[in-house]
Amino acid sequence: MTQENHSPHLTIIGGGPAGLMAAEAAVAAGVAVDVYDAMGSVGRKFLLAGKGGLNLTHGEPLAAFVQRYGERQHAVASWLAAFDADALREWARGLGVETFVGSSGRVFPRDMKAAPLLRAWLRRLRESGVGFHMHHRWLGWNASGALRFATPAGEQERQADAVLLALGGASWPRLGSDGAWVGALEQLGAEVAPLQPANGGFEVRWSEYLIQRFAGAPLKPVVAHWRDRAGQTHARQGECVISEYGIEGSLIYAIGAELREQLATRGEAQLMLDLVPGYSQSVLAERLAAPRGKHSIGDWLRRRAGLDGAKAALVFELTDKLTLADPVALAAQLKALPLQLCAPRPLAETISTAGGVRLESLHDALMLRTRPGVFCAGEMLDWEAPTGGYLLTACFASGLIAGRGAAQWLQEQARSKSKP
């Protein structure tokens, strides 16, 4: 929406962390800002992320932090150079929200809640002059280049000096992130990598018995072993959960990108679980070889290998009778229990989205190469990361980069027009 005095004005579409941070950066640079969102209020997904405790960022060293972004770590590192985890914590402190580092390295607000942080942030944005327009679902551009919005009062159009899109991916569509923007961006010539599920579970064909008795049961601690696409072996310790459809949880999310790619290229993926990381295979075989007496095999696994009910049930689910009767073979099975993964869960069920606007389609300031004055930020860009605060940190950082870039571009345009 162009102001009558023709001062630089930025239209931001999407009121999540990336869009709001872009608004803050742009207005701080002297640009007028209006934020449009399809929902009745901004930050819906942000509030959902904080429902069980807002994991704002992570406290690990920067070198390890940037590696969480996989193939896009070098690009994301340039965003984090402007706004890293420490800067995010300092920013929260400026809003009156103190944070702490938990035992896992994750960073949380002291009260664990997202709502107080969001309220303070929105108050500061409004006081700085940012305008908010709810129930405006973006429909793309019309033939003359005006923005089209579906509103309760019917379709409306807005002219814009510059546009910053922070529309999210396609996970949690009921909160507004539905990926409907893909077609409009492709029409502008942007390259968009297919949207795929990230930070979600994988399907395993369980028996009805396992589903009925153990769906929702945690598996901890376990060590996951897998081969990457190059054939190299990897191991990672953590926790996961048996679900009615398969397996999920933080350990699975951390390696989900590799598992998803294997399923896409090979049609299958295998994960080996070490259910007893506290014992070597040889020690475990020796313990299991002791006379069992009248103990059932389930009770024996509990006594001699420390398996709880869920782990024991998983062993019975995936192990034949001959292996159960052989202590050496059983020890090997407990140290490398094979899980055959069938498919990732649907995108709408996952925490976040992989794919999006390819970074090669954007300048360093996150402006489209094919459409000057159109910027993108947040989860709609082609990067991904596991849960643990990494998703939010990169969304904040990309919003800052895009907001500053949009403000600079607008000011350069204004200066060029003012020259005689």
Side-chain angles (χ1 to χ4, degrees), residues 10-36 42 91 121-122 124-126 128-132 164 166 377 395-396 398-404 406-407:
L10 175 63
T11 297
I12 295 176
I13 305 175
L20 296 179
M21 183 56 76
E24 185 163 76
V27 78
V31 169
V33 176
D34 276 282
V35 175
Y36 292 79
V42 297
W91 169 84
W121 192 11
L122 292 177
R124 186 165 75 182
L125 288 172
R126 289 192 174 98
S128 69
V130 176
F132 290 89
L164 192 152
C395 282
F396 278 111
S398 67
L400 180 78
I401 296 294
R404 286 177 176 174

Side-chain angles (χ1 to χ4, degrees), residues 1 17 33 82 214 217 267 314 332 364 392 414:
M1 182 169 61
V33 176
F214 293 99
L314 204 58
D364 289 344
L392 272 178

Side-chain angles (χ1 to χ4, degrees), residues 17-18 20-21 24 46 54-59 62 65 69 79-100 106-109 117-118 121 124 388-400 404:
L20 296 179
M21 183 56 76
E24 185 163 76
F46 182 71
L54 179 63
N55 180 198
L56 195 59
T57 187
H58 203 285
L62 183 61
F65 195 106
Y69 300 95
W79 308 344
L80 297 177
F83 196 76
D84 61 9
D86 290 338
L88 180 50
R89 297 183 69 186
E90 185 62 31
W91 169 84
R93 185 175 295 113
L95 289 169
V97 176
E98 294 294 332
T99 59
F100 71 96
R106 300 183 181 205
V107 175
F108 301 89
L117 176 61
L118 182 61
W121 192 11
R124 186 165 75 182
Y390 308 107
L391 290 164
L392 272 178
T393 305
C395 282
F396 278 111
S398 67
L400 180 78
R404 286 177 176 174

Side-chain angles (χ1 to χ4, degrees), residues 337-370:
L337 190 72
L339 289 185
Q340 296 294 334
L341 309 181
C342 305
R345 291 299 286 173
L347 179 51
E349 295 183 14
T350 57
I351 294 172
S352 61
T353 304
V357 180
R358 295 189 187 275
L359 303 185
E360 293 78 10
S361 289
L362 303 163
H363 293 283
D364 289 344
L366 302 182
M367 182 174 72
L368 284 176
R369 296 182 184 276
T370 58

Side-chain angles (χ1 to χ4, degrees), residues 178-387:
D178 57 11
W181 51 264
V182 171
L185 269 291
E186 288 179 332
Q187 288 179 7
L188 290 185
E191 296 180 39
V192 181
L195 302 183
Q196 301 182 77
N199 288 298
F202 288 83
E203 296 178 4
V204 181
R205 295 189 179 94
W206 300 134
S207 67
E208 283 300 318
Y209 172 81
L210 190 75
I211 293 171
Q212 292 174 7
R213 292 290 300 274
F214 293 99
L219 300 171
K220 60 180 184 180
V222 295
V223 176
H225 295 266
W226 73 97
R227 289 184 180 272
D228 63 21
R229 284 161 283 181
Q232 294 184 322
T233 58
H234 300 270
R236 186 183 185 95
Q237 182 165 321
E239 301 178 7
C240 51
V241 177
I242 297 172
S243 70
E244 62 181 12
Y245 61 74
I247 194 163
E248 61 184 30
S250 58
L251 176 59
I252 303 303
Y253 304 158
I255 59 178
E258 181 63 42
L259 298 174
R260 185 188 67 235
E261 291 304 313
Q262 286 187 31
L263 282 163
T265 56
R266 304 176 189 171
E268 62 179 5
Q270 186 179 75
L271 192 63
M272 313 292 282
L273 289 184
D274 179 353
L275 300 180
V276 281
Y279 291 118
S280 68
Q281 185 172 323
S282 59
V283 169
L284 188 59
E286 183 178 345
R287 290 180 62 82
L288 293 173
R292 182 153 59 94
K294 295 181 179 180
H295 293 289
S296 68
I297 184 62
D299 187 45
W300 197 237
L301 288 172
R302 178 181 63 82
R303 289 171 175 269
R304 305 299 289 177
L307 267 61
D308 60 18
K311 285 185 177 180
L314 204 58
V315 172
F316 291 129
E317 178 84 2
L318 300 171
T319 307
D320 59 46
K321 292 182 179 180
L322 289 176
T323 301
L324 288 172
D326 182 341
V328 174
L330 181 55
Q333 183 83 335
L334 297 183
K335 297 295 289 183
L337 190 72
L339 289 185
Q340 296 294 334
L341 309 181
C342 305
R345 291 299 286 173
L347 179 51
E349 295 183 14
T350 57
I351 294 172
S352 61
T353 304
V357 180
R358 295 189 187 275
L359 303 185
E360 293 78 10
S361 289
L362 303 163
H363 293 283
D364 289 344
L366 302 182
M367 182 174 72
L368 284 176
R369 296 182 184 276
T370 58
R371 185 69 174 262
V374 176
F375 296 77
C376 301
E379 197 180 333
M380 66 183 294
L381 301 180
D382 181 23
W383 61 276
E384 64 178 302
T387 57

